Amino acid sequence: AQSVTQLGSHVSVSEGALVLLRCNYSSSVPPYLFWYVQYPNQGLQLLLKYTTGATLVKGINGFEAEFKKSETSFHLTKPSAHMSDAAEYFCAVKVGGASCSARQLTFGSGTQLTVLP
Amino acid sequence: GAGVSQTPSNKVTEKGKYVELRCDPISGHTALYWYRQSLGQGPEFLIYFQGTGAADDSGLPNDRFFAVRPEGSVSTLKIQRTERGDSAVYLCASSQTSGSSSEQFFGPGTRLTVL
């Protein structure tokens, strides 16, 4: 079974500062990795995903993440925070393969990002 | 170009009652998923449909929970004899295919409160 750990349930950064949200996963098979953002009273929106190929993945709104197999990590970064980035962020994993259980996403518990003026 | 929609957006019920939560997926999406998000937690998988059939219902917590998708489009999550612990946001997602790399698009959720 796969699992996801997000270190830090709350992260605060100043506007213009680097954003770093941490995600570590465990999976017995090569994973597919995702970052989602959730604004209040809205559904989850995909920021970016890693499936295969290049380990540095660029997403929407200036976010990127790097898949590091040796560290089992998929940390999310953004060089310069904007007030509109304040939201909750979820890391998720899916295992590859043909089994039905390969379709479900396993989420971390989320990180609430606050951006200070 | 509508996204995934869920109704109602909020549902308040009393312990022991029956509730139905509806999900309208994106048109043409063959796969549909239900997740439950408790306060302060990430979403947890409940059930996955490929077409009309439940391909994986391993996340349903007990036999009070049931879901259907009779025509391969709209889905209804049904909860019998609700308990206070069922209070959560119930999220629906759909994807164009069932491939494991296929993106899941989420609806805004139904917030269920059991008094």
Side-chain angles (χ1 to χ4, degrees):
Chain A
Q2 62 271 23
S3 66
V4 176
T5 301
Q6 291 184 241
L7 293 175
S9 58
H10 291 83
V11 170
S12 292
V13 300
S14 298
E15 190 174 18
L18 171 72
V19 176
L20 170 60
L21 305 182
R22 299 179 185 276
C23 172
N24 288 87
Y25 69 90
S26 69
S27 173
S28 57
V29 297
Y32 296 157
L33 296 160
F34 305 79
W35 274 100
Y36 283 85
V37 61
Q38 187 175 37
Y39 297 99
N41 300 315
Q42 293 187 27
L44 294 161
Q45 180 184 7
L46 182 68
L47 279 176
L48 50 79
K49 66 179 181 180
Y50 169 79
T51 54
T52 59
T55 55
L56 181 62
V57 180
K58 295 188 184 297
I60 62 172
N61 302 339
F63 285 93
E64 62 182 37
E66 186 171 10
F67 169 58
K68 292 187 176 180
K69 184 178 179 181
S70 61
E71 299 177 8
T72 60
S73 69
F74 191 57
H75 301 329
L76 182 71
T77 61
K78 181 174 180 177
S80 177
H82 192 271
M83 297 297 288
S84 61
D85 294 328
E88 187 146 29
Y89 292 79
F90 292 94
C91 182
V93 63
K94 257 201 285 191
V95 296
S99 70
C100 290
S101 63
R103 308 296 182 257
Q104 60 177 269
L105 286 164
T106 299
F107 286 86
S109 56
T111 298
Q112 181 67 45
L113 176 66
T114 300
V115 182
L116 305 170
Chain B
V4 177
S5 62
Q6 293 185 245
T7 54
S9 55
N10 281 281
K11 176 70 177 178
V12 180
T13 190
E14 294 180 344
K15 180 175 178 295
K17 299 290 188 182
Y18 168 83
V19 296
E20 289 189 352
L21 311 179
R22 177 187 167 106
C23 172
D24 276 273
I26 294 172
S27 178
H29 280 194
T30 61
L32 185 146
Y33 311 79
W34 284 98
Y35 293 85
R36 178 168 70 173
Q37 187 175 17
S38 300
L39 193 63
Q41 300 297 317
E44 293 178 310
F45 171 77
L46 295 176
I47 187 170
Y48 149 61
F49 286 89
Q50 177 56 42
T52 60
D56 181 2
D57 63 359
S58 62
L60 294 177
N62 52 59
D63 62 5
R64 296 187 297 106
F65 288 75
F66 190 70
V68 295
R69 195 185 185 200
E71 298 177 357
S73 177
V74 170
S75 177
T76 305
L77 178 66
K78 308 180 180 196
I79 310 174
Q80 299 176 319
R81 305 183 303 280
T82 51
E83 299 178 356
R84 292 194 180 86
D86 299 335
S87 296
V89 176
Y90 289 82
L91 297 169
C92 177
S94 69
S95 62
Q96 192 166 24
T97 71
S98 61
S100 51
S101 63
S102 183
E103 178 182 351
Q104 295 181 20
F105 294 84
F106 283 81
T110 293
R111 182 175 299 278
L112 175 66
T113 303
V114 182
L115 302 177

